[in-house]
Amino acid sequence: TAFLLAEGVMPDKNGREYVLRRVMRRAIRHGHRLGIQEPFLHEVALKVVEVMGAQYPELAERQAHIVKVTEQEEVRFRATIERGLHLLDAQFEEMKQGAVRVLDGRAAYKLYNTFGFPLDLTEVICEEHGYSVDQAGYDAALAEDRERSEFDAGGTAVESVYREALALVPGGQVAFTGYHKNRDSSELVAIVVDGQLVSDVQCAVQADGSPAPLDDIELVFARTPFYGESGGQAGDHGTISSYSGQLQVTDCQKPIGGLVVHRGSLRQGGFTVGDSADLFIDIPRREAIRRNHSATHLLHWALRQVLGAHAQQKGSLVTAERLRFDFTQGEAITKEQLTQIEDLVNERILSNAPIQTELLSIEEAKQRGAMMLFGEKYEANVRMLSMTESVELCGGTHARATGDIGFLKVIGEQGVAAGVRRITAATGAAAMELVRATERTLERAAEVVKASQVDLPSRLERMVAGQKELEKKIAQLEKKLLSGGGGGGIDAMLAQARDVNGVKVLSLRTEVTDRSGLRELAEQLRDKLGSSVVMVASEADGKVQMVLTVARGLTDKYQAGNLIRPLATLVGGSGGGRPDMAQAGGTEVAKLDQAVAALYTAFEPGQLRLM
C-alpha cells in the first residue's frame, strides 16, 4: 500500500488501482476480524515509511499523502463492511435451512458490485463458515454486467478492417510529419466506407447536377501531418484534396497502433486508392490545441509544487477550446491554492521560455530527470519535452515557447473519483473570452441592481439581508393567520369541516404559500378536529401546492399518499408521502378549487375504491 500510493496509484475499481484496493481491503478485513475497531492501516503504512524511507526517499516525501489516502479508504470500507457481512450472514441462514453449502454466484457478484467485496474476500468469509462460492454463477453475472457496460458505452472491439488497412501501409506504420509541417502530400493507401475496405468512393450527383456529400468516409495515407487523437490530445481537422476530390476532415483517430485514419465528409468528386493528395490541417485549431497541451505540462508541474509530489497525472483531455487535467489528490483544492497554481503557470508563460523537444533513449531520458507516469508503456526511444522546470515524456504537438500560450485561466476544479481531482482551464483567445464573459455577467448584474461593479458586492449583501427580513415578516404574518388573526383564523376554517360517510373531512384553499406553513396548518386543523382527514392547498408562483394529513387512528383505513395522488392528477401534477402525511404539486391552478372539492366527493359511498 505504501509503495503503490507513493507511485501515484490510488485505490479504485480498475487495473492496478483495483489491485491496491484489494490489498488494502484484505488487510482491513483481517484487522476487523482481530477486533480492531478503529482505522489502523495508516499506522502500519507509517511503519513502512519509517523503516524504508531512507532507501526510498519517495516514501518520506509522500508520507502525508500515504497516511491520508490509507485512512480515508479504511473509513469508507469500514462503513460498508458491516452491511456486507450482515447480508452474508442472512445468506448463510437461508443456506442452512435449505441444506445448501454453496453461495449463489449472483449473490457473490452483488456483494462485489454493490459493496466492494472482492470475490476472494467473499470466498475467505464463506470458507470460515464452511461454505464455498458458485464460481460459474459469479463469472456469468460478471460477463453479463460487462456486456451491458460495453453496450451502454457503445464500445466495440477493434474492427478487423483497420488491421487490414494497416497491412496496406508501406513499412507497417503511417509516418507522422505534423511536428514540423502543417501540410504534406502523400499516396492514398486505403479507403474505409461503412466498415469495409473499398478501392474508390465517389459523391453521388443530385438532380440539379450538384454533388451529394457523403459523410463518415475514412482515408488512410502513407504519411500525414494530421495528429490522430491520442495521449489526451484531440485529433486534427482540416482538408484533403486531390485532382478528383475533396474531403473535409472532422476527426482524426488512431484506432490501432501505427494507423492514422482521417474521417470526414466527401464534399465533391471522389478518391481512388493510389491517388496522390494534399493534406492541409486547420492551422488556427492546431495552434489552439498546442497552447492547451503545453499548458497542461506547466499545470502538472505547478500542481506538484503547491500540493506535493503525490499530485500525479491520471488523465487529460486537450482540445482547441479548453484543457482538462485529472490528478491524484485526496481533498478539494482551496481557493488560495488554486490561485497559487494559476499564478505559477502564468509566471512561466510570461517568461517566454523556449519549449524544447528531444528524441532520446528511454535510459537517457531517465538520467535527464524526465518525469514518467507510473504504469505507462514507453518505447526504447522517446520524445522528451522541456519547458522551464517541467521535463516530461510526450508525443503530442506543442507551442514553440511558453509565451505562445498567452495566459491560463482556471475554469473550475472538482472531484471525479476516489482520490482523483480535475481542473479545467482555458488558454489564449479562449481564456480571453472567458474573462470577457465574466465581465459581461458582472456588468449585467450591476445594471439589474442599479449599482457600479465596485459597489455590486455590498449592494447584493444589502439586498439579501432585506430579502431575509421580508421572509421573516411573511412567516410571522402567516403564523398570525394560523393562530386566528387577520379575520379568517382556525375557527373559521374548522367550521368548513364535514362529516362524510362517518369521517370528519376538511378540504380548503388558503393564502398560506410557505410549504412548511401549509404542513403546520394541516397538522393544527387535524389535531383540533381529532379523528379526521384534512387537506390544505394554495397557489405559489403560479403553481399548486397541497398537503394532506390523516389522523393516526385512521391510517389503517385511509392512506394519505393514496388520497392525494388523484387530487394531484386533477391539477396536472403528482404527489405522495407517508400514510399520515402526503404532499403534492401541480401546474393547473385553474383546477385547484375542483381538486379541493374532490376530497369531499372521495368519501361519498362507493368512491374510495378509486383512492
Side-chain angles (χ1 to χ4, degrees), residues 90-107:
Q91 290 282 339
F92 294 154
E93 285 300 317
E94 286 183 19
M95 291 160 68
K96 279 180 187 176
Q97 294 173 10
V100 178
R101 309 304 301 174
V102 180
L103 177 67
D104 179 68
R106 292 183 182 278

Side-chain angles (χ1 to χ4, degrees), residues 228-511:
E229 181 177 327
S230 60
Q233 179 175 327
D236 280 324
H237 294 182
T239 306
I240 297 175
S241 300
S242 71
Y243 67 93
S244 59
Q246 184 180 86
L247 185 82
Q248 189 69 39
V249 181
T250 55
D251 193 15
C252 191
Q253 291 288 328
K254 293 180 179 177
I256 58 175
L259 185 68
V260 178
V261 173
H262 308 78
R263 189 175 296 155
S265 176
L266 186 59
R267 296 295 186 185
Q268 60 185 43
F271 287 90
T272 301
V273 170
D275 283 352
S276 178
D278 294 320
L279 294 82
F280 305 86
I281 68 168
D282 181 337
I283 296 174
R285 184 175 181 277
R286 163 72 77 83
E287 291 301 321
I289 292 173
R290 285 180 190 267
R291 287 191 289 271
N292 281 335
H293 200 163
S294 296
T296 62
H297 286 254
L298 291 177
L299 179 61
H300 193 189
W301 167 80
L303 283 165
R304 292 165 64 81
Q305 301 307 303
V306 175
L307 304 178
H310 68 272
Q312 295 189 30
Q313 180 177 341
K314 299 297 287 183
S316 67
L317 177 65
V318 180
T319 67
E321 294 74 30
R322 61 183 58 186
L323 64 93
R324 190 181 77 200
F325 192 80
D326 297 349
F327 56 96
T328 50
Q329 169 74 0
E331 57 192 6
I333 302 176
T334 66
K335 290 181 180 180
E336 293 74 17
Q337 288 173 324
L338 208 55
T339 298
Q340 190 179 353
I341 290 163
E342 196 178 70
D343 287 347
L344 280 173
V345 173
N346 284 312
E347 284 172 11
R348 269 59 190 177
I349 291 173
L350 286 171
S351 72
N352 199 28
I355 297 175
Q356 299 176 325
T357 303
E358 300 174 76
L359 285 174
L360 304 170
S361 68
I362 188 71
E363 290 304 321
E364 188 176 353
K366 286 179 182 177
Q367 292 171 7
R368 298 269 294 275
M371 184 178 178
M372 300 181 190
L373 300 180
F374 182 83
E376 287 290 324
K377 295 179 180 178
Y378 296 106
E379 297 180 359
N381 293 310
V382 293
R383 294 179 66 85
M384 187 177 80
L385 187 76
S386 305
M387 61 181 89
T388 65
E389 296 93 331
S390 171
V391 182
E392 295 188 51
L393 303 184
C394 183
T397 60
H398 286 274
R400 295 158 192 81
T402 60
D404 293 349
I405 299 171
F407 81 104
L408 175 135
K409 182 62 186 170
V410 171
I411 298 170
E413 185 268 349
Q414 66 186 82
V416 291
V420 179
R421 308 291 300 178
R422 170 176 294 168
I423 283 180
T424 52
T427 66
M432 281 295 298
E433 178 52 36
L434 184 65
V435 171
R436 285 174 179 156
T438 303
E439 287 177 344
R440 287 194 294 270
T441 300
L442 287 172
E443 287 171 3
R444 178 62 184 142
E447 288 173 7
V448 169
V449 301
K450 295 180 172 56
S452 67
Q453 290 188 41
V454 174
D455 295 331
L456 183 59
S458 59
R459 176 65 63 87
L460 288 173
E461 285 171 358
R462 289 197 299 272
M463 290 179 68
V464 169
Q467 177 74 12
K468 287 180 179 178
E469 186 62 30
L470 284 173
E471 290 171 356
K472 184 178 177 181
K473 288 181 180 178
I474 290 170
Q476 289 171 345
L477 288 171
E478 289 187 341
K479 282 188 178 181
K480 184 178 179 182
L481 176 65
L482 292 178
S483 63
I490 292 288
D491 291 340
M493 296 177 188
L494 290 172
Q496 300 178 50
R498 304 179 193 175
D499 192 318
V500 185
N501 199 27
V503 181
K504 288 182 182 176
V505 181
L506 175 58
S507 183
L508 54 85
R509 182 169 179 170
T510 178
E511 297 303 316

Side-chain angles (χ1 to χ4, degrees), residues 503-506 525-527 529-534 549-551 554:
V503 181
K504 288 182 182 176
V505 181
L506 175 58
L525 292 168
R526 179 199 63 198
D527 293 345
L529 284 172
S531 183
S532 60
V533 175
V534 174
T549 64
V550 178
L554 295 176

